[in-house]
DNA sequence: AAAGCTTTTTGTATAATTTACAATTAGTGT
DNA sequence: ACACTAATTGTAAATTATACAAAAAGCTTT
């Protein structure tokens, strides 16, 4: 791999054949967070091939030269875990020279937050297993995936305040307690229940329904639904959560 | 370039030689914003070489296979504009298949905010010119650089609220009016002077000095300095601006 | 059926902050 | 001395945050 000077003299710059640059590859890695009942998990695969065979890893693979990055992320996620239609977004690119043993490979990390119970990931292609891991109990990971995961978790915490990453992980009708638990779990904080509610009921995008919880052995909570249109309007006006 | 199927059947996956993936390149592009006296500019170069010869463009170039991304960005910025020691940070990776006419090249965008008057960029290497352009008067740009610039400007606006991108563009001793102008210019809003001041004087990281402005034909303003240590402490505790 | 349990929901009093201005102040220029 | 400009301070009303306490609505147990 190390056939180029790290720094060339100026007069040499034009003498490098352009082909010399086209010897690299890039991959995508998907950080799929799952939230269900106040638990945050991340989807990992077990690698069935070298390098890092048998290690747990983020689902990811090399991108074809004629493939857009976003499509590649969805395609690879589907190849390895059979998941489809996951709303991913780019996080950051990791590019240390020696991060991949087979050559120069930089990787673009993507993240998503999903509801794991209505998905059924199963290993395919070269993945030998796929499993949800609690966010505070992660095994040793392949490559630099531990770092990628940590950066992505920070991004999740930040982005969930500024955009709608969360509405799909709640049931269509949810209680304010469920709403609060979601943010408490992901942000790793707790809030005063009465005050949290008072803050949140003023948000126009939480629609109070006529319906209430049933079959619980305590006072049933009223249910709310999410008005995505109102949320987008408010976001366009600069709204973001401040918890 | 288009020698691979966009989507392969699963049984074919293992049959692709690994070398087939190592035919791509990546570049970095630097979005260097300059702030001086309530004006926001961006540093562009004029390309002295194909493709897009004579077009204005963000300073950027291909990354060597043995070069880290961050170092490459600094090296390339120096090659093209002679600037050194610019505190850059990664923004986003742009990877459309056909964004570069010479082959598959994805680009990692970097941004910085600097004070243009204490820098002296001058064109070198294949750049034929380099110049600060006001942010609201940008010529046609090479490649997808217009999009990169727009995304980076949005990121600048967001990040300046959450981290110290700004302290180096103010003089060591500055007035609260200067402080306010900086945020007004970058965010594109205006604030009530009295209220803005009342908000920021409570920030522990703005140190009131004994000194005042001199030689102005009105009441001179008191000067402040920035306490970076205090700011980092507050940031660690979750502080961010809310204007 | 009454009492108890649990969690939701509402209330409340106080403190703190925001907002929209108006008034004052400290320089320079005439 | 007076006008001018921009900095600085002040202020009253409205709004929001905070720390709790009380009440309510179901189920469960006695």
């Amino acid at each position: 791999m190390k056939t180029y000077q790290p720094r060339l003299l100026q007069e040499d710059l034009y003498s490098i054949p352009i082909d010399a640059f086209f010897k690299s590859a890039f991959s995508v890695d998907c950080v799929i967070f799952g939230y269900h009942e106040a638990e945050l998990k991340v989807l990992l695969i077990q690698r069935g091939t070298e390098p890092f065979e048998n290690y747990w890893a983020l689902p990811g693979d090399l991108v074809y030269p004629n493939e857009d990055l976003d499509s590649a992320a969805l395609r690879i996620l589907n190849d390895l875990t059979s998941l489809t239609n996951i709303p991913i977004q780019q996080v950051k690119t990791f590019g240390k020279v020696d991060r991949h043993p087979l050559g120069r490979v930089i990787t673009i990390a993507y993240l998503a937050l999903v509801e794991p119970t209505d998905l059924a990931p199963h290993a395919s292609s070269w993945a030998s297993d796929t499993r949800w891991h609690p966010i505070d109990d992660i095994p040793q990971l392949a490559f630099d995936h531990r770092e990628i995961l940590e950066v992505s978790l920070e991004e999740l915490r930040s982005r969930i305040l500024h955009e709608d990453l969360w509405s799909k992980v709640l049931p269509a009708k949810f209680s304010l307690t469920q709403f609060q638990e979601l943010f408490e779990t992901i942000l790793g904080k707790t809030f005063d229940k009465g005050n949290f509610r008072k803050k949140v009921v003023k948000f126009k995008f939480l629609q109070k329904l006529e319906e209430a919880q049933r079959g619980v052995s305590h006072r049933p909570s009223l249910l709310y639904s999410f008005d995505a249109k109102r949320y987008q309007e408010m976001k366009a006006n600069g709204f973001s959560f401040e918890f």
Side-chain angles (χ1 to χ4, degrees), chain A:
Chain A
M1 281 302 296
K2 308 241 174 181
T3 47
Y4 304 93
Q5 300 299 332
R7 182 75 167 77
L8 299 179
L9 295 177
Q10 199 142 309
E11 54 263 38
D12 292 330
L13 274 173
Y14 293 99
S15 63
I16 304 175
I18 187 77
D19 283 356
F21 289 95
F22 285 81
K23 298 267 169 84
S24 304
F26 29 86
S27 64
V28 295
D29 284 301
C30 299
V31 188
I32 310 298
F33 292 105
Y35 174 84
H36 180 71
E37 288 180 358
E39 272 211 293
L40 186 62
K41 306 194 171 187
V42 66
L43 186 63
L44 300 178
I45 62 158
Q46 195 166 30
R47 292 178 60 88
T49 182
E50 291 292 347
F52 290 100
E53 185 161 7
N54 297 326
Y55 278 67
W56 288 96
L58 299 169
D61 205 347
L62 297 175
V63 176
Y64 296 127
N66 65 338
E67 205 179 16
D68 283 342
L69 298 177
D70 296 5
S71 339
L74 290 175
R75 193 256 310 161
I76 288 164
L77 184 62
N78 179 253
D79 282 351
L80 296 173
T81 70
S82 315
L83 294 182
T84 54
N85 247 357
I86 305 294
I88 54 166
Q89 48 182 249
Q90 193 183 304
V91 178
K92 194 187 162 183
T93 296
F94 295 80
K96 286 217 184 76
V97 168
D98 56 1
R99 61 172 296 285
H100 198 295
L102 295 187
R104 183 66 196 277
V105 182
I106 66 174
T107 195
I108 298 104
Y110 280 80
L111 79 73
L113 179 64
V114 299
E115 217 294 9
T117 60
D118 46 45
L119 302 172
H122 56 267
S124 53
S125 182
W126 51 261
S128 61
D129 196 2
T130 177
R131 198 161 297 195
W132 294 102
H133 290 251
I135 199 66
D136 46 11
D137 184 19
I138 302 292
Q140 193 183 7
L141 298 182
F143 304 104
D144 50 358
H145 286 190
R146 157 72 63 166
E147 181 191 359
I148 296 176
L149 175 55
E150 280 168 9
V151 170
S152 299
L153 179 56
E154 275 314 302
E155 278 300 306
L156 171 66
R157 288 180 169 151
S158 163
R159 293 188 189 184
I160 203 173
L161 300 176
H162 298 93
E163 47 190 298
D164 167 26
L165 272 168
W166 48 268
S167 67
K168 297 286 172 48
V169 305
L170 290 177
K173 303 169 180 183
F174 53 85
S175 69
L176 293 185
T177 301
Q178 286 176 302
F179 185 77
Q180 180 172 353
E181 273 174 352
L182 168 63
F183 284 91
E184 287 184 336
T185 302
I186 289 176
L187 299 176
K189 302 180 189 179
T190 59
F191 308 108
D192 178 277
K193 202 163 188 178
N195 294 336
F196 184 90
R197 145 186 311 274
K198 269 196 288 268
K199 178 177 286 182
V200 134
V201 290
K202 285 179 301 192
F203 297 160
K204 305 277 175 43
F205 55 80
L206 292 185
Q207 289 261 322
K208 191 184 211 161
L209 305 175
E210 298 303 311
E211 216 171 325
Q213 242 181 351
R214 300 181 59 184
V216 287
S217 81
H218 54 74
R219 177 169 179 174
S221 54
L222 301 174
L223 296 179
Y224 290 74
S225 71
F226 174 62
D227 185 337
K229 209 171 125 208
R230 278 272 174 75
Y231 180 84
Q232 293 307 328
E233 283 171 21
M234 292 180 66
K235 194 187 143 190
N237 286 358
F239 169 86
S240 76
F241 291 118
E242 287 167 25
F243 293 144

